[in-house]
């Protein structure tokens, strides 16, 4: 069996909260399973492109997850061999909401990104 190319890590705030992990816990079993499978695909197949992964800007990508009746996005960065999950949300509009992008970029700075 092939080893994963990336190790998945959750962004943790200064007080130890892991907002992406907390968000995932709020989802249904099937939604978590689908998101987990897509993250695993990235983990074992990195680097990947569309339709699963889209680069948003320097050091910031999104996993594009299609759930039963909605769309989820996981924004992440890659640090050495770590895939750091910065932000997750259910997408409600065509483009990535500015506040979600800003939040992910702020977390990227905290983990040593640009």
């Amino acid at each position: 069996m092939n080893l994963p190319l990336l190790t998945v890590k959750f962004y943790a705030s200064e007080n130890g909260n892991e907002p992406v992990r907390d968000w995932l816990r709020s989802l249904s079993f099937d939604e978590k399973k689908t998101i987990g499978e897509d993250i695993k695909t990235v983990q074992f197949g990195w680097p990947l492109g569309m339709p699963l992964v889209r680069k948003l800007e320097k050091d910031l990508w999104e996993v594009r997850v299609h759930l039963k009746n909605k769309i989820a996005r996981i924004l992440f960065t890659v640090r050495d061999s770590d895939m750091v999950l910065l932000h997750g949300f259910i997408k409600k509009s065509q483009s990535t909401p500015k506040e979600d992008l800003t939040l992910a970029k702020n977390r990227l700075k905290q983990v040593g990104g640009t």
Side-chain angles (χ1 to χ4, degrees):
M1 184 174 156
N2 292 339
L3 292 173
L5 298 170
L6 299 174
T7 302
V8 175
K9 303 227 166 141
F10 289 92
Y11 159 83
S13 65
E14 287 180 16
N15 61 7
N17 289 339
E18 294 176 324
V20 178
R21 188 187 300 264
D22 293 341
W23 173 73
L24 286 169
R25 284 186 180 132
S26 74
L27 301 175
S28 74
F29 174 81
D30 287 340
E31 290 169 339
K32 285 186 260 204
K33 184 172 186 266
T34 301
I35 291 169
E37 287 168 354
D38 285 351
I39 288 172
K40 186 176 175 185
T41 299
V42 176
Q43 185 183 9
F44 280 82
W46 185 255
L48 293 172
M50 293 288 277
L52 183 60
V53 175
R54 183 169 73 109
K55 185 169 185 156
L56 299 174
E57 50 187 68
K58 186 178 186 302
D59 295 332
L60 188 62
W61 292 267
E62 68 178 0
V63 180
R64 303 158 51 88
V65 183
H66 295 275
L67 301 172
K68 192 171 189 172
N69 54 5
K70 52 190 160 188
I71 295 171
R73 293 291 186 259
I74 311 291
L75 306 186
F76 71 96
T77 191
V78 175
R79 290 277 160 265
D80 300 316
S81 62
D82 293 333
M83 175 185 188
V84 183
L85 308 182
L86 300 169
H87 182 48
F89 62 97
I90 299 298
K91 197 167 174 201
K92 295 180 173 76
S93 63
Q94 196 65 22
S95 59
T96 300
K98 192 174 187 333
E99 59 270 16
D100 289 301
L101 196 53
T102 300
L103 181 61
K105 288 199 287 193
N106 288 338
R107 291 175 180 168
L108 176 62
K109 286 178 191 157
Q110 292 173 37
V111 298
T114 52

